[in-house]
Amino acid sequence: MNRMMTVMAALLTLTPPAVAQEAGQASMIDRAGWFENPSRLTQSGGQDVYEAICAACHMPEGEGASGAGDYPALAGNENLLMPDYAIYVILNGQKAMPPLGGVLDDTQIADVVNYIRTSFGNDFAEDPATPEHVADAR
Amino acid sequence: MTFNSDGISRRSLLSMIGAVAGAGAMYSAMSTMGLAQGSNYAGRLDLQGDVNGTRVLILGAGLAGMTAAYELRAAGYQVQVLEFREKAGGRCWTLRGGDRYTELGGDTQDVTFSEGNYLNPGPWRIPSDHYAVLDYCKRFGVKLEPFIQVNYNAYLHNTASFDGQPQRFKEISTDFRGHVAELLAKVVDQQALDADVTEADAQLLMDALKRYGALNDEMEYVTGEASSAYRGWAVPEGGGTTGRPEPSEVHPLSVILQSNLWRNLTAGDNLHMQSTIFQPVGGMDQIAQAFEREVGELITFQAKVTRIRHEGNTVTATWVPTDGGEEQTETADYCICTIPFSILGQIDHDFSPRMSGIIDSMYYASSFKCGLEFKRRFWEQDEHIYGGISYTNLPISLISYPSNDYFSDGPGVLLAAYSWGASSYQFNALPPADRIEAVLDYGSQIHPQYRDEFVSGVSVGWHKVPWVLGCYGIWKDRDADYMDATVMDGRTLMAGEHISYLPAWMEGAILSALDAVERLHVTVTES
């Protein structure tokens, strides 16, 4: 799935297409395991959690987005050097970023923090986040 | 309420009554005029005094910004408005055929709805106690029509009850009420409430419960004429040889309780949903366009504010045209800033540490809407649902049927999803085409006609809207921060839905702007 997303992101970068919302268009993302709880996300594993919530604003390849305000890129983001900052921001929010501690559990947060620290070209594998880290920061 | 039609503003009339006869008389007069409940709109502004050419810079041309522009210009101020978008209205916004919407990340949707069909991604209802919005609509000639909130023939749906089959609102509502009334009648009959209810009142309560719960003469809620007169018949009332109706079976109390369908019975009882409520004919942005007709000449569009500075007795905004071009500045004596805090926190500004802290602490709710166009109005033709809302525990949360163009043969648009929180986050994370697929999957569980009749759709996840980055402002600690956010900081006053106790409502945006305008005017004329 990730490779398909990469291809899509590349295509989007080249030629932002107008999405024709026609009937019968093939689905691109496997939604199995999505939308299972109205008040929490139920995906597990860093990549699945990322794609189900973070990717909406920080974009599938962590490139961020810019309008009247910005969603910062996670790719090459030095704030991810240590896990603590990302854990804090996910739990408590930061400016336009809403707090997500209510919809994600400690394991999901630890997993997704480790995912963004080691994806999109990031190489911050040292001192990985643990659910205990997250619980302590709540 | 009655609208002012005779020149003297209610605000000045009330001031006169207050001055002459005291606050008690004023409150009494306000009650008579219907102003003492609901919105705290106190009538049209009538700003007197010499403003000496004072310049006011307004940031944002949503309803708050345009309200401020309209009122300040009327009072003699020199007004300039800077707006990021190419059009006015902000979240008072409508998508219709021919519109193209590009969300953050670049996904672009071309709306192909038929003439007359639309989706209001933001506000879609105007409560009858939102007096300020209604008064501006009246003043600017925006035609309103009833918005159907409660429809007894719409559905309540829960995937885990009634085998996932949607149930008519009238059946669940009548059964819930009937059973509760019967239970309470039993308690009264057993004289278990003697400590709380006098004997005389107990008899009246029994009469009320019989009527309220559609109980029979034995004070039972059972299958029969009394209950069917509210919940509907198995064989409907008719004429001629087949006219005799057959009662429908009531559901047992336990079934109603365990269905969880009672959770949405009171949605239309909320203060802001109580009938009658309204929508503009043709889409919510008719209000935005009406304001723009009044103050459009004051607005510079496609202006991205990049810096706000206070120097001496002036305030200066630096901005860049979003379609390219040189950085520019606009200087004024005062500023009314309606930029959402989600954006303002990212702009280089010199607000006080206290104000900066409040700006940075406000986050914006996640909300998602999807509109689907269908070839025919099957909800009317097949299911006799005319306007109103079906509620479900599915991630789409509700389906709202159009409150206009009933019985037309042409295509119709449903609000096919309106989600918050965890569901909204996930819809936002899907590409637009996948969102439509998901909404079709879910909606088909309530209306099996979906797949056959689908034409096209458009969706808006508010966290991906480039000019607001969220749906509405949420305070981390409103009790502690709210009043400090209303204080003039340097030469700037904040306004918008976030500076109100009616967050996300257009009324909140307008009231906050009127309050800011009045306080700014006092500062100018009394200094």
Side-chain angles (χ1 to χ4, degrees):
Chain A
M1 189 198 314
N2 198 33
R3 205 172 62 192
M4 182 176 283
M5 304 277 286
T6 311
V7 172
M8 274 182 51
L11 286 173
L12 288 173
T13 311
L14 293 174
T15 49
V19 180
Q21 323 296 312
E22 303 296 330
Q25 193 164 44
S27 182
M28 289 167 281
I29 288 188
D30 179 6
R31 281 183 273 112
W34 286 48
F35 297 112
E36 289 189 346
N37 183 320
S39 52
R40 305 192 66 84
L41 273 82
T42 46
Q43 294 82 356
S44 58
Q47 181 175 339
D48 282 2
V49 170
Y50 184 84
E51 288 172 358
I53 182 165
C54 315
C57 297
H58 293 284
M59 299 295 134
E61 292 303 309
E63 64 269 40
S66 186
D70 296 340
Y71 289 124
L74 302 178
N77 190 325
E78 295 289 328
N79 286 328
L80 299 173
L81 201 55
M82 300 298 288
D84 309 62
Y85 179 79
I87 292 171
Y88 176 86
V89 171
I90 291 171
L91 284 176
N92 300 295
Q94 163 90 323
K95 297 193 176 180
M97 165 96 182
L100 299 173
V103 296
L104 296 172
D105 65 25
D106 295 347
T107 303
Q108 288 172 313
I109 292 174
D111 287 350
V112 82
V113 166
N114 292 331
Y115 177 76
I116 62 177
R117 293 178 70 227
T118 56
S119 303
F120 326 127
N122 292 340
D123 188 18
F124 308 124
E126 281 187 29
D127 193 16
T130 65
E132 292 72 33
H133 260 131
V134 180
D136 288 347
R138 276 190 192 265
Chain B
M1 80 182 267
T2 48
F3 285 102
N4 181 29
S5 57
D6 53 12
I8 183 165
S9 83
R10 264 187 313 220
R11 188 181 292 261
S12 23
L13 179 60
L14 287 170
S15 303
M16 280 161 50
I17 297 172
V20 173
M26 188 166 89
Y27 184 84
S28 164
M30 286 172 72
S31 299
T32 307
M33 296 161 107
L35 293 177
Q37 321 97 26
S39 161
N40 71 350
Y41 182 54
R44 296 177 184 180
L45 294 188
D46 180 20
L47 303 178
Q48 301 293 330
D50 188 354
V51 304
N52 289 316
T54 301
R55 299 164 299 169
V56 182
L57 174 61
I58 295 169
L59 303 180
L63 292 193
M66 290 195 288
T67 298
Y70 177 83
E71 298 296 347
L72 287 168
R73 183 182 59 182
Y77 290 86
Q78 294 182 48
V79 178
Q80 281 290 324
V81 186
L82 296 177
E83 167 57 41
F84 176 79
R85 298 176 74 197
E86 73 291 349
K87 62 175 167 184
R91 282 163 275 179
C92 174
W93 179 30
T94 299
L95 286 169
R96 50 176 72 79
D99 285 340
R100 166 171 269 227
Y101 166 54
T102 300
E103 63 185 31
L104 278 177
D107 278 340
T108 296
Q109 299 175 75
D110 282 320
V111 188
T112 58
F113 294 161
S114 307
E115 178 83 31
N117 285 341
Y118 62 83
L119 169 73
N120 292 322
W124 52 311
R125 303 173 277 204
I126 308 173
S128 53
D129 67 334
H130 283 192
Y131 306 134
V133 177
L134 292 174
D135 195 20
Y136 279 104
C137 287
K138 169 84 174 165
R139 204 185 314 190
F140 297 159
V142 178
K143 196 167 164 54
L144 302 178
E145 62 192 355
F147 176 98
I148 308 301
Q149 167 73 36
V150 179
N151 181 340
Y152 285 74
N153 217 33
Y155 295 123
L156 297 173
H157 173 256
N158 188 301
T159 47
S161 59
F162 294 101
D163 296 325
Q165 293 302 306
Q167 304 296 303
R168 299 284 186 178
F169 183 97
K170 61 190 169 196
E171 296 174 1
I172 303 303
S173 169
T174 306
D175 289 358
F176 181 83
R177 233 162 67 169
H179 288 301
V180 169
E182 180 185 314
L183 283 179
L184 185 51
K186 279 183 184 152
V187 174
V188 175
D189 199 40
Q190 291 161 7
Q191 299 171 348
L193 295 179
D194 278 5
D196 301 302
V197 184
T198 66
E199 201 178 324
D201 282 355
Q203 187 51 55
L204 289 169
L205 180 55
M206 293 294 267
D207 292 346
L209 290 172
K210 183 166 191 274
R211 187 177 290 218
Y212 178 75
L215 307 184
N216 64 13
D217 290 341
E218 285 71 48
M219 298 300 282
E220 296 164 329
Y221 180 71
V222 292
T223 297
E225 288 188 14
S227 54
S228 286
Y230 288 82
R231 74 190 307 286
W233 304 83
V235 175
E237 303 146 302
T241 56
T242 59
R244 183 186 171 86
E246 292 286 340
S248 62
E249 287 281 329
V250 304
H251 298 301
L253 173 63
S254 172
V255 169
I256 294 295
L257 292 176
Q258 290 178 27
S259 75
N260 276 306
L261 296 180
W262 46 266
R263 290 181 186 279
N264 291 109
L265 285 176
T266 54
D269 295 339
N270 178 286
L271 175 63
H272 302 306
M273 311 298 171
Q274 290 168 7
S275 298
T276 306
I277 63 178
F278 299 96
Q279 65 181 12
V281 175
M284 193 56 81
D285 72 348
Q286 297 304 302
I287 297 179
Q289 290 178 23
F291 269 95
E292 191 177 345
R293 281 195 294 275
E294 300 291 331
V295 299
E297 65 205 32
L298 306 177
I299 305 171
T300 302
F301 291 99
Q302 294 183 283
K304 178 175 180 171
V305 174
T306 56
R307 194 181 309 125
I308 300 168
R309 283 289 182 276
H310 296 79
E311 288 173 77
N313 289 331
T314 65
V315 53
T316 298
T318 304
W319 58 279
V320 291
T322 58
D323 55 354
E326 294 287 305
E327 184 177 277
Q328 304 191 46
T329 60
E330 193 71 49
T331 296
D333 302 302
Y334 294 94
C335 172
I336 291 183
C337 178
T338 72
I339 296 174
F341 282 1
S342 49
I343 307 287
L344 188 57
Q346 301 188 41
I347 291 173
D348 174 16
H349 62 69
D350 63 352
F351 294 123
S352 66
R354 175 72 178 129
M355 186 68 86
S356 299
I358 296 171
I359 293 168
D360 290 352
S361 74
M362 181 175 283
Y363 64 97
Y364 276 62
S366 188
S367 170
F368 169 80
K369 271 188 184 172
C370 176
L372 299 181
E373 181 168 69
F374 295 94
K375 290 174 220 161
R376 66 184 183 93
R377 297 164 78 106
F378 55 81
W379 53 93
E380 295 183 357
Q381 295 166 5
D382 303 350
E383 296 163 274
H384 309 289
I385 297 171
Y386 305 100
I389 299 172
S390 288
Y391 290 95
T392 173
N393 70 327
L394 289 166
I396 54 175
S397 144
L398 59 75
I399 296 172
S400 176
Y401 311 93
S403 292
N404 53 295
D405 293 337
Y406 301 113
F407 305 105
S408 88
D409 292 327
V413 168
L414 297 181
L415 173 62
Y418 184 18
S419 310
W420 299 86
S423 295
S424 171
Y425 283 123
Q426 291 171 82
F427 277 120
N428 293 352
L430 291 171
D434 288 56
R435 295 177 204 151
I436 301 290
E437 284 297 316
V439 172
L440 283 169
D441 279 350
Y442 293 127
S444 297
Q445 297 180 42
I446 296 170
H447 294 289
Q449 305 97 322
Y450 257 41
R451 287 282 177 188
D452 284 346
E453 306 293 346
F454 173 69
V455 182
S456 72
V458 64
S459 64
V460 173
W462 278 95
H463 269 137
K464 303 190 83 163
V465 176
W467 34 270
V468 57
L469 307 184
C471 176
Y472 71 91
I474 299 178
W475 298 84
K476 282 243 173 79
D477 189 349
R478 184 162 68 177
D479 287 345
D481 295 342
Y482 182 90
M483 287 308 289
D484 287 347
T486 67
V487 169
M488 186 174 287
D489 199 277
R491 311 287 282 185
T492 299
L493 284 165
M494 303 295 170
E497 57 80 20
H498 51 302
I499 311 295
S500 82
Y501 273 76
L502 287 163
W505 289 102
M506 298 186 294
E507 183 79 358
I510 291 178
L511 291 177
S512 81
L514 291 173
D515 181 67
V517 163
E518 283 193 287
R519 288 185 291 127
L520 187 146
H521 186 65
V522 167
T523 304
V524 168
T525 53
E526 293 182 3
S527 62

